[in-house]
Amino acid sequence: MIDQFEKLKELIIKYNPEANLELISKAYEISKEAHKGQERVSGDPYIIHPLEVGIILAELEMDPTTIAAGILHDTVEDTIMSIDRIREEFGQEVANLVDGVTKLTKLPYTTKQEVQAENFRKMFLAMAKDIRVIIIKLADRLHNMRTLKFMTKEKQQQKARETLEIYAPLAHRLGIHKIKWELEDLSFRYMDEKNYYDLAEKIAKKRREREEYINNIIEIVRRKTEEMGISAEIEGRAKHLYSIYRKMTTQNKTLEQIYDLFAIRLIVETVKDCYSALGLIHELFKPMPGRFKDYISMPKPNMYQSLHSTVIGPEGIPFEVQIRTHEMHRVAEVGIAAHWQYKEGARNEDKNYVEKLSWLRQILDWQKDARDPDEFMENLKIDLFTDEVFVFTPKGDVKSLKAGSNPIDFAYSIHSAIGNKMVGAKVNGRIVNLDYELKNGDIVEIITSSASNGPSRDWLKIVKTSQARNKINQWFKKEKREENIEQGREIFEKEVKRNGLTMTQALKPEYLDPILKRYGFHTVEDLYAAIALGAITASKVVTRLREVYRQSLPPEEQTQMLLKQIEKENKKKAKRAPESGVVVKGIDNCLVRLSRCCNPVPGDDIIGYITRGRGVSVHRTDCPNVRNNLVDGDARLIEVYWYNTVSPNVSYLAEITLKAHDRPGLLVDITNNIGESRIPLRALNARTSKDFSVVMHMTLEINNAEQLDRIIAKISKIRDVFEISRNK
């Protein structure tokens, strides 16, 4: 931990000598204390993960506020630390970033898909306010992917698929290619292990041959640039495995047919030098028709700028050339993160950087209408994981659309009114069919008419963007509005009564308004119409309504209502829930979870803490998390106690630490004592110090605290053991 923290500080000082390291140190100390006693699946102390997230952010040269939030990002979600405590210690800006990354846990959801959709909704809304939220999340996901080998096969596949479908495309959209490439390759490795290693082996076999070929080209280009007086850094560019594999599968090509497997990059001083260098390349090598792209004059939406050209090299082997300035190269590596970088102690301010994220605004627009979790997730994957086509309006403005889009998609990308009144389209001055597939460079003109009856339902079969599809659906939903409102009201009333509320309570502005705002409804009639159309379920709305109502009650009544809710929810779970050996005072049937931070066992003094959606978390009364983060009188603290008779078949994990003078046979003596006591030893970690002492951390499987006390007493009598204690 100390080494990693020192590495983090060195990275920050290197690019920002005047950085506020006190803020970073404070975040580290508080995060370390909050995560004390927690471990990753790998067995590492949990604090290693937040530190690694901080290091990834520092490698992107982020500001101290972002790095501090990265170090604290899991405290609210995985410990008793509250967002109010973060705000009190670090201010509103850090609190907002941590809250944006924190998953929703306050309300119960029906399905795993709904939980995922709601978490992504929250993240995108937080992104709209501060894009650093997703930069922290990407750093978090990258380190999780680097340590995925410690997870089960099923979990590896699940996380890899989610990363490939959501997080890698997000990194691409933000232009953070440095993270995107690594996320893609790691996902590829776990999703398709056979093809990953087969491809890696094939590329490795020809590595020397390829390097010789590229080095020869670099030498030719270097001599020519020096002759022309162009200052250029020239390097070979490694193609990433997933990128190669994707081209092979989507274009049905062999490895030998991938042109940009051989590639060089020229980094020059000015934009003028970029075009001069391009002319030089085309003079030295014959360009391939249709293989030139100018992303300098027409940058990608993620701010990427570069000249790309594929040319025929020596021996008739094609290779790709990329040409860009140093500033373009920096942005190509870190994308939108460049806005928050520090260079020579001064932030690189770009007042228009949000304007470069038009895709984010589009997602925020359609997500208001996509209230069904399945629809939301499907649209999100489609809109993120897609190639782009760049077309022009008649005035010369560039519009970026999903590859394969048609004039209808183009019309709705400008404004829903234009799409609704559309009767035809011209592309490059010629009338085209509405299903015409737009191509790069097309100039598109939409023909509208006030006499139009609105969009056709057939359009839903041919549009490619979720933005257009949702706006067309929205238009049709308004056609039978009155009928939908009446039907939705009836469904809503039944659900309200079923949940023990009255319509008078449900329609009070202080309870209903937050729900309407959460889902983007302007009036209760909009809500009724959406329920009737199936855009949102009445049960979801009333569940949230009940939670808002509960929060308005005094603390004591809140606690009682929450307990009744937990009791009701867990009647279904009771049969498959493991026997915890703990009784919650005042409630007969409740989901109980023994906290991993202190591992309570029968015989320990314990206290309960009511969590939303996960029942009651049980801690030892001397647990540091309880002592440091909770106060007497907290309405969510509840009395719990052990059953009088605990089944001998129920076991608990307890951790102990011992210190001893190192000697031959010490470990054998300790393990023999544990074996004689018939206590399973589940984990053991030992290390020696410079003073020839040894520290051992052991995890034992026991039935109660008395059994643990007996084994501690027994081990303490072993020769050379001078200290032994149970971990808190």
Side-chain angles (χ1 to χ4, degrees):
M1 289 185 286
I2 295 172
D3 290 344
Q4 293 300 87
F5 186 55
E6 290 304 316
K7 177 183 176 181
L8 173 60
K9 290 194 291 186
E10 287 173 11
L11 279 170
I12 296 170
I13 292 170
K14 188 175 180 181
Y15 68 86
N16 182 15
E18 299 177 8
N20 182 1
L21 291 183
E22 288 184 12
L23 178 70
I24 305 297
S25 297
K26 184 179 180 182
Y28 167 61
E29 291 299 331
I30 287 182
S31 182
K32 183 173 67 172
E33 183 62 31
H35 290 295
K36 189 175 182 180
Q38 294 181 344
E39 288 186 349
R40 300 270 286 173
V41 178
S42 63
D44 289 333
Y46 197 95
I47 187 62
I48 293 294
H49 170 63
L51 274 177
E52 288 290 348
V53 170
I55 287 170
I56 292 169
L57 293 170
E59 288 169 348
L60 293 174
E61 300 188 4
M62 299 301 290
D63 60 297
T65 300
T66 309
I67 295 172
I71 295 171
L72 295 161
H73 79 277
D74 269 342
T75 53
V76 175
E77 186 177 328
D78 291 337
T79 76
I80 302 177
M81 181 80 67
S82 69
I83 199 68
D84 291 331
R85 169 95 186 273
I86 298 288
R87 187 180 297 109
E88 181 184 328
E89 296 281 355
F90 298 94
Q92 189 65 46
E93 190 176 7
V94 171
N96 287 343
L97 291 173
V98 173
D99 188 49
V101 180
T102 301
K103 292 177 184 175
L104 294 167
T105 57
K106 293 183 179 179
L107 298 172
Y109 297 105
T110 308
T111 65
K112 185 177 180 180
Q113 186 81 339
E114 185 178 344
V115 172
Q116 186 186 37
E118 291 303 320
N119 280 321
F120 277 116
R121 283 183 198 272
K122 180 189 177 189
M123 187 174 73
F124 277 101
L125 288 170
M127 279 170 61
K129 296 174 184 174
D130 195 328
I131 204 69
R132 291 176 293 175
V133 166
I134 191 57
I135 298 174
I136 296 170
K137 190 65 183 174
L138 287 172
D140 171 48
R141 178 50 62 110
L142 178 56
H143 183 249
N144 282 333
M145 289 300 293
R146 286 174 178 174
T147 55
L148 201 59
K149 64 182 178 182
F150 298 104
M151 307 297 285
T152 63
K153 192 77 174 176
E154 183 183 0
K155 203 75 171 177
Q156 289 174 352
Q157 292 272 331
Q158 176 196 331
K159 291 294 182 185
R161 184 175 293 105
E162 183 181 67
T163 300
L164 203 55
E165 291 178 345
I166 304 291
Y167 290 102
L170 265 174
H172 170 71
R173 288 286 190 166
L174 293 166
I176 312 177
H177 295 98
K178 190 175 184 178
I179 288 180
K180 175 212 171 189
W181 292 322
E182 189 175 351
L183 287 177
E184 286 183 339
D185 280 359
L186 287 168
S187 299
F188 178 29
R189 174 184 165 190
Y190 289 106
M191 284 187 68
D192 194 346
E193 190 173 346
K194 182 179 182 299
N195 280 322
Y196 175 87
Y197 286 108
D198 282 350
L199 184 59
E201 186 180 353
K202 287 177 182 176
I203 291 174
K205 283 180 180 178
K206 295 190 175 182
R207 179 168 292 152
R208 179 176 293 181
E209 174 189 327
R210 187 167 66 251
E211 287 176 353
E212 289 177 0
Y213 181 77
I214 288 297
N215 289 338
N216 180 40
I217 291 171
I218 289 174
E219 191 55 38
I220 293 171
V221 174
R222 180 176 286 114
R223 286 199 301 266
K224 196 67 176 178
T225 53
E226 288 174 357
E227 286 176 19
M228 293 186 65
I230 299 175
S231 175
E233 292 180 16
I234 309 170
E235 58 188 16
R237 185 179 68 87
K239 191 74 174 174
H240 295 269
L241 286 176
Y242 181 71
S243 179
I244 297 170
Y245 178 72
R246 190 167 172 232
K247 279 198 173 185
M248 290 170 63
T249 53
T250 57
Q251 300 176 17
N252 196 26
K253 290 181 177 180
T254 64
L255 187 61
E256 290 71 25
Q257 292 174 308
I258 305 296
Y259 294 142
D260 51 1
L261 193 61
F262 296 89
I264 66 168
R265 179 183 291 138
L266 281 73
I267 303 175
V268 297
E269 298 295 330
T270 66
V271 173
K272 180 182 177 182
D273 288 344
C274 288
Y275 289 98
S276 298
L278 177 68
L280 177 153
I281 294 293
H282 285 179
E283 181 184 329
L284 288 171
F285 309 103
K286 185 177 180 180
M288 292 183 67
R291 299 286 301 176
F292 169 68
K293 294 176 182 176
D294 185 349
Y295 293 120
I296 292 180
S297 60
M298 197 163 66
K300 289 186 177 183
N302 62 12
M303 302 180 294
Y304 178 86
Q305 288 184 288
S306 191
L307 296 177
H308 289 197
S309 184
T310 303
V311 298
I312 305 296
E315 305 172 26
I317 301 174
F319 69 95
E320 186 187 57
V321 182
Q322 292 181 355
I323 307 169
R324 60 179 71 143
T325 65
H326 290 280
E327 177 62 19
M328 291 173 191
H329 181 62
R330 185 172 70 91
V331 174
E333 290 291 298
V334 301
I336 199 68
H339 174 76
W340 297 101
Q341 284 187 337
Y342 273 70
K343 219 66 179 174
E344 297 176 2
R347 182 177 291 176
N348 173 29
E349 291 290 353
D350 176 1
K351 300 297 183 184
N352 299 316
Y353 86 103
V354 175
E355 292 302 314
K356 297 171 182 175
L357 299 174
S358 57
W359 61 272
L360 175 57
R361 293 199 307 276
Q362 290 171 11
I363 287 175
L364 290 172
D365 284 343
W366 63 249
Q367 69 91 23
K368 295 174 185 175
D369 300 316
R371 297 182 179 91
D372 176 76
D374 294 315
E375 179 189 3
F376 175 85
M377 291 306 300
E378 192 58 36
N379 286 344
L380 181 61
K381 292 171 187 176
I382 290 171
D383 275 21
L384 285 177
F385 192 61
T386 182
D387 292 325
E388 299 156 306
V389 61
F390 300 93
V391 295
F392 295 92
T393 68
K395 293 182 179 179
D397 296 328
V398 181
K399 299 291 289 184
S400 169
L401 296 170
K402 176 186 174 183
S405 293
N406 55 49
I408 303 173
D409 296 296
F410 178 86
Y412 280 103
S413 74
I414 297 172
H415 199 281
S416 56
I418 293 176
N420 292 338
K421 293 294 181 182
M422 177 181 180
V423 294
K426 288 182 180 180
V427 174
N428 302 326
R430 295 172 54 194
I431 297 287
V432 296
N433 293 331
L434 295 184
D435 62 355
Y436 168 85
E437 187 174 311
L438 297 174
K439 299 176 179 61
N440 280 320
D442 281 345
I443 301 172
V444 187
E445 179 184 351
I446 302 301
I447 303 169
T448 60
S449 170
S450 56
S452 169
N453 292 323
S456 163
R457 288 193 181 273
D458 291 336
W459 290 7
L460 292 169
K461 300 174 185 177
I462 60 175
V463 292
K464 301 297 181 184
T465 62
S466 52
Q467 182 186 23
R469 185 175 293 106
N470 282 312
K471 287 185 175 180
I472 294 168
N473 276 324
Q474 191 176 13
W475 187 88
F476 282 109
K477 287 174 184 176
K478 292 178 181 178
E479 291 295 286
K480 296 182 179 180
R481 180 171 170 78
E482 293 304 319
E483 182 182 327
N484 291 333
I485 289 173
E486 187 57 37
Q487 184 182 351
R489 181 187 288 110
E490 292 177 7
I491 298 171
F492 181 73
E493 285 182 4
K494 288 179 182 177
E495 188 65 24
V496 167
K497 290 176 182 177
R498 195 177 70 82
N499 279 270
L501 299 174
T502 66
M503 283 297 286
T504 303
Q505 291 173 321
L507 296 178
K508 280 189 176 182
E510 58 264 38
Y511 307 144
L512 187 61
D513 287 353
I515 307 300
L516 297 178
K517 184 179 179 181
R518 170 68 184 83
Y519 287 111
F521 296 117
H522 296 294
T523 65
V524 69
E525 285 77 16
D526 293 339
L527 172 63
Y528 291 153
I531 290 172
L533 290 162
I536 190 170
T537 62
S539 61
K540 182 189 293 186
V541 174
V542 176
T543 296
R544 290 185 178 278
L545 192 64
R546 186 179 57 201
E547 178 63 16
V548 174
Y549 168 70
R550 188 190 68 78
Q551 290 175 352
S552 70
L553 299 174
E556 297 77 12
E557 292 183 37
Q558 282 192 41
T559 302
Q560 289 304 314
M561 187 173 178
L562 189 58
L563 286 171
K564 288 178 182 177
Q565 183 181 334
I566 292 172
E567 182 177 14
K568 183 179 178 181
E569 288 171 358
N570 287 290
K571 279 180 180 177
K572 298 177 182 177
K573 300 178 184 177
K575 291 181 182 179
R576 62 178 184 270
E579 182 62 67
S580 64
V582 174
V583 176
V584 180
K585 186 177 180 180
I587 183 167
D588 296 327
N589 183 20
C590 181
L591 180 64
V592 173
R593 185 170 59 90
L594 300 179
S595 176
R596 286 188 296 175
C597 60
C598 58
N599 290 322
V601 300
D604 289 335
D605 291 331
I606 52 177
I607 189 74
Y609 181 74
I610 300 171
T611 62
R612 296 187 175 99
R614 293 189 294 174
V616 174
S617 175
V618 177
H619 295 259
R620 284 159 44 190
T621 53
D622 62 351
C623 173
N625 281 333
V626 173
R627 191 168 59 245
N628 296 339
N629 293 291
L630 296 178
V631 295
D632 291 338
D634 191 314
R636 298 177 70 181
L637 283 175
I638 188 167
E639 189 175 335
V640 295
Y641 53 90
W642 298 104
Y643 279 116
N644 290 331
T645 56
V646 179
S647 170
N649 297 322
V650 179
S651 58
Y652 305 85
L653 295 180
E655 297 175 355
I656 62 175
T657 298
L658 70 83
K659 296 179 182 179
H661 299 297
D662 197 12
R663 62 171 171 82
L666 175 65
L667 182 59
V668 175
D669 290 347
I670 292 171
T671 53
N672 282 345
N673 267 267
I674 295 172
E676 289 169 3
S677 302
R678 298 184 180 276
I679 293 177
L681 175 61
R682 293 305 181 198
L684 187 148
N685 181 280
R687 59 182 172 83
T688 55
S689 304
K690 292 179 181 179
D691 61 357
F692 300 104
S693 64
V694 61
V695 178
M696 293 187 190
H697 300 283
M698 292 183 285
T699 302
L700 305 174
E701 187 176 312
I702 60 171
N703 298 117
N704 52 53
E706 290 180 9
Q707 190 180 31
L708 180 62
D709 290 340
R710 286 197 299 270
I711 191 63
I712 287 176
K714 193 171 182 180
I715 295 173
S716 66
K717 295 177 182 177
I718 296 173
R719 180 167 60 90
D720 291 320
V721 174
F722 61 82
E723 185 180 321
I724 183 169
S725 62
R726 180 180 175 187
N727 295 355
K728 292 184 177 181

